[in-house]
Amino acid sequence: MTITTPATSLPADVAATLDRVEQTLDKDRLPVEIFNDEAVFKAEMDQIFGTCWVFLAHESEIPKAGDFVQRRIGVDPVIVTRDGNGGVNVLSNYCRHRGTQVCQTDAGNSRFFKCPYHGWTYSNSGDLVGTPNKHGAYADHLDPKAWGLYRAPRVDSRFGLIFASLAAEGPTLDEYLGGASWMLQMVLGLHSDGMRVAGPPERYKLRSNWKTGAENFAGDAYHVGTLHYSNEEIGIAPDLRSNVEVTRLYDFGNGHSTIGFPFVELAGPFAAFWGYDPQTAAKFDLSGLDETQRHIVENEPPIVGTIFPNLSFLRSPVPVRIGEMEMAVVTTFRQWQPVGPGEMELWNWQFVWTFQDEQQALDAYVAGQFTFGSAGTFEVDDTVAWEGAPKAAKSPWMRRQGMEFNFEQAHTSPVNRDPDPTYKGPGIKRNTGFGEHNQLNFYRHWVKTLRQGAQATSVQEG
Amino acid sequence: MAITEASPAATAPVDAELLASVTQFLALEAKLLDEGREEDWLELLDEELLYVVPIRLATEDRADEIQHGAFRIRDTKYHVRTRIQRLATRHAYSEIPPSRTLRVVGSVLVQRTADADIVEVTSALLVYRQRGIDDHFDLIPCRRNDTLRLTAQGPRLLTREVVLTEVGIATPNLGVFL
């Protein structure tokens, strides 16, 4: 089975747009048109979602043989299956005969996918195993090996997160993640039983561009004190307006980055390990972590981050009840699913530690959905703020005006934004949230990947 | 308090007075929420409220569609009160200005339970929502499985399970109560 490798020559209009993006990024700006443009979107589907390692599911969603979930790689529907040998398969959900979708459900358990149209039947590892009226229709002239469902050529997982790449060749998942894997280890790799999903993803449609969510979670500590200030006013989270200055920024290159937060420095030792209660924190096994990771996890752990292109996470303490000390620590993974140039679906999973008891897991799930979900007290406001960019990108005036978004904190902020010379982990660490550096690097990597596919590597220069 | 399970195919007749009391209650709720009187609506919620919006999936068997252990919202009265406080801060930007809504409640079925003070109610709800300066509108269709506690002051909402008709919702957030 051959996999078509994405086009390496971009259409002239997209190439011209990227030249302009590159020039404006050098001035810490970004042209508006990339947030709602058919040609750019199509190039993203081929060059980014057609080559990069894209997140699909957590292992705990398909634990048993036959389990499957329907997911997306860009706008392409795929079935993620657990076959009888325990292997994970990522299959195109289009029948090879006439393109009918062989799987019409979001999740289930089945050994076979039978096309409802003419009955071509595939095993859950994608092989063509049945065709009705075989002798009359094909005799021996249909090679079942040549007519299985198309498969993502590369599937791999880290810390329970299953990724696939539609490019047959390219960097391995480890090479692709680079420092992001080191970071994920601090979020997901603290116990041998790992984490599990609390439930299937909830989905909601936003009239916004997928990049806006990814950019926000890459490093936008600046919006929290304004857009989410209502949460401070009612006691859900403290000091949102002053936190940006002391937030840590980690840039791992290749479009992957994270925000860390100095809980211990600001709130004292009880806030170590994100504020997990001492019994839970005592269960964390730090023996696999290096010295730098151990320091970070205890004192200034990752709270928000983005894995290029469209996977992000958040881990944050939320009071179980306002005014009381008990905290539920929320872990949400979310995917910014591109639907169209100015439209995305937000897919939101809550994660809990496999070792947590039922009540602890429920507290974390409830608190997670209460703050980050379709009705989340933080997230509802993001969903509205993010709808502006695609509208501006379609505005005739803004197009004529050559509107550029302002990322100039990268040079105007007087706060010391130099890379921390004492930091020994991968990438770069900055000890302030000012600067919009991570967002700029997300878009720099976006340009490189549109030009070169997943082969693109980018390391922040400093 | 557990969320109501599926009701039997046939419902026993209920007296007109009870039916009127329940439909008046549902209509009052809808009116208060359409008029932005969330504080008044809060008064209609039982102290032991559990308000759940489960996640729905496209599955082969209907029985698997509603993931009862998985939810978009699982609020106690504390959570609802906190949401209303947030709306009142004047910084809850997704609801500034407040969505203009019309809640249409119908298909009301009432059933008595073994507990004389508790009735089970299912109703269909269609929320028309126009948000902010949007030039379009959102529709939020759902069916609600409620239990009401009958008190001397009138019915109070004890549990509500909101079964959304959609799997992936077309409105960008559930910043309005259902």
Side-chain angles (χ1 to χ4, degrees), chain A residues 119-250:
Chain A
W120 281 32
T121 301
Y122 305 88
S123 73
N124 62 10
S125 53
D127 297 330
L128 180 65
V129 294
T131 46
N133 311 101
K134 181 168 181 291
H135 294 293
Y138 305 107
D140 292 329
H141 305 300
L142 181 72
D143 178 4
K145 290 208 179 320
W147 291 97
L149 293 173
Y150 286 120
R151 305 169 54 87
R154 296 187 298 156
V155 179
D156 203 350
S157 67
R158 285 294 171 277
F159 308 109
L161 306 176
I162 300 168
F163 295 82
S165 167
L166 294 183
E169 291 170 8
T172 65
L173 180 59
D174 273 340
E175 290 165 348
Y176 178 87
L177 291 174
S181 184
W182 182 85
M183 181 268 292
L184 282 174
Q185 188 178 10
M186 293 186 277
V187 178
L188 296 169
L190 300 180
H191 193 273
S192 57
D193 294 341
M195 298 194 84
R196 63 177 177 87
V197 296
E202 62 154 345
R203 294 149 51 179
Y204 28 127
K205 288 193 178 71
L206 276 55
R207 287 175 165 84
S208 48
N209 183 280
W210 67 272
K211 294 187 288 297
T212 300
E215 169 207 316
N216 178 283
F217 274 63
D220 194 332
Y222 181 52
H223 81 295
V224 181
T226 300
L227 188 64
H228 301 306
Y229 182 63
S230 60
N231 288 278
E232 176 172 339
E233 290 180 282
I234 57 167
I236 294 178
D239 304 322
L240 295 180
R241 286 179 171 171
S242 54
N243 282 346
V244 56
E245 179 147 4
V246 297
T247 294
R248 297 353 185 185
L249 292 182
Y250 299 87

Side-chain angles (χ1 to χ4, degrees), chain B residues 66-90:
Chain B
I66 305 302
Q67 305 280 310
H68 287 281
F71 46 82
R72 293 175 186 269
I73 300 173
R74 192 180 189 280
D75 277 2
T76 61
K77 191 168 184 183
Y78 153 77
H79 293 106
V80 174
R81 188 183 295 117
T82 305
R83 290 183 195 280
I84 292 172
Q85 285 169 356
R86 200 184 76 86
L87 288 173
T89 62
R90 311 190 71 79

Side-chain angles (χ1 to χ4, degrees), chain A residues 295-310:
Chain A
H295 171 81
I296 290 175
V297 162
E298 182 169 351
N299 297 285
E300 45 188 22
I303 54 168
V304 170
T306 287
I307 312 269
F308 191 87
N310 67 333

Side-chain angles (χ1 to χ4, degrees), chain A residues 49-50 53 93 100 142 157 174 200 217 258 293 296 338 405 419 421 426 461:
Chain A
F49 291 90
W53 286 94
N93 186 16
T100 302
L142 181 72
S157 67
D174 273 340
F217 274 63
T258 285
Q293 286 172 308
I296 290 175
F405 292 165
E461 308 80 34

